[in-house]
Amino acid sequence: MTLALSKGRILEDTLPMLSAAGLTPEEDPLSSRKLVFATNDPGLRLLVIRASDVPTFVAYGAADVGVAGKDVLVEHGGRDLYEPLDLGIARCRMMVAGLPGALDGPASRPLRVATKYVETARAHFARVGRQVEIIKLYGSMELAPIVGLADVIVDLVDTGNTLRANGLEAFTEIDTISSRLVVNKASMKMKHAAIRRLLDTFATATGGGH
Ligand code: PRT
Ligand code: MG
């Protein structure tokens, strides 16, 4: 059984859930540079990869199970994945933000939206019937309104400190985000018992206890 996690908050919140069930990696993935970790359970290993790559590894069966944010799953499209459990970790909100008043936008052209979350942004502005031009970025979205690259951004907000530090305000909440367990569809059939056990481990740690 291979479990895909990502460095950062998902790993930090997931490792305690595993260790509560007596599952520990051979060395600490938070400090090690290794990408694959054996655990004290010979039937379980961990992969540590980029957050946005987790759905891809699981969809192709390179990992049987993974933990990914709903933001990442929406962008991936969720094809070929089961999503049996909301772990309730790494919570935040997907928001539209910008300099004060920026959501009104210029009348002369569509609103310019800078984001890493192109599908999420496209779906949101289609839903509210607003014509937009989407500019794909890979990070530091907060900079875009400041330097005039875009009118607004679509990004994750947790404490709001990053927006505040850059003089931006949040306008609209698009979605609430948390991390989900995802399972490869073939693995769910072929390795049902082992996946069931891992699901129960997480459900217990989450307080779902099912
Ligand atoms: O590895 P890579 O950089 O590609 O991925 P990543 O940056 O998405 O990874 P990581 O570990 O930072 O985030 C993993 C997952 O955590 C995300 O997919 C979300 O589901 C979830 N998460 C929860 C967050 C946040 N909270 C969050 N605040 N991901 C990112 N942020 C960023 C946000 O983009 C913004 O830059 O933190 C900043 C805002 O935080 P506040 O507290 O200042 O509002
Ligand atoms: Mg990051």
Side-chain angles (χ1 to χ4, degrees), residues 82-116:
Y82 289 124
E83 194 188 305
L85 190 62
D86 183 348
L87 297 175
I89 59 170
R91 286 176 185 278
C92 55
R93 293 169 297 159
M94 185 67 76
M95 313 235 15
V96 182
L99 292 167
L103 195 55
D104 299 335
S108 53
R109 56 165 174 77
L111 193 72
R112 274 199 197 121
V113 183
T115 189
K116 180 167 140 184

Side-chain angles (χ1 to χ4, degrees), residues 128-141:
V128 300
R130 183 97 186 243
Q131 239 205 347
V132 293
E133 177 188 348
I134 293 176
I135 300 171
K136 164 91 186 187
L137 293 178
Y138 292 88
S140 304
M141 267 80 83

Side-chain angles (χ1 to χ4, degrees), residues 7 9 50-51 116:
K7 214 152 200 152
R9 32 201 133 209
R50 289 291 291 262
K116 180 167 140 184

Side-chain angles (χ1 to χ4, degrees), residues 6 49-56 72 76 116:
S6 58
I49 56 184
R50 289 291 291 262
S52 44
D53 289 335
V54 167
T56 307
V72 163
H76 177 262
K116 180 167 140 184

Side-chain angles (χ1 to χ4, degrees), residues 146-162:
I146 298 170
V147 296
L149 175 62
D151 302 306
V152 299
I153 61 173
V154 167
D155 194 11
L156 298 173
V157 179
D158 178 17
T159 61
N161 288 340
T162 306

Side-chain angles (χ1 to χ4, degrees), residues 131-192:
Q131 239 205 347
V132 293
E133 177 188 348
I134 293 176
I135 300 171
K136 164 91 186 187
L137 293 178
Y138 292 88
S140 304
M141 267 80 83
E142 294 85 1
L143 188 58
I146 298 170
V147 296
L149 175 62
D151 302 306
V152 299
I153 61 173
V154 167
D155 194 11
L156 298 173
V157 179
D158 178 17
T159 61
N161 288 340
T162 306
L163 291 182
R164 260 190 303 280
N166 291 288
L168 305 179
E169 66 181 46
F171 301 127
T172 320
E173 178 175 312
I174 298 179
D175 203 357
T176 56
I177 303 292
S178 57
S179 288
R180 317 296 168 95
L181 209 66
V182 290
V183 180
N184 174 271
K185 286 193 173 168
S187 301
M188 189 69 118
K189 288 202 196 84
M190 312 290 289
K191 304 182 183 176
H192 188 80

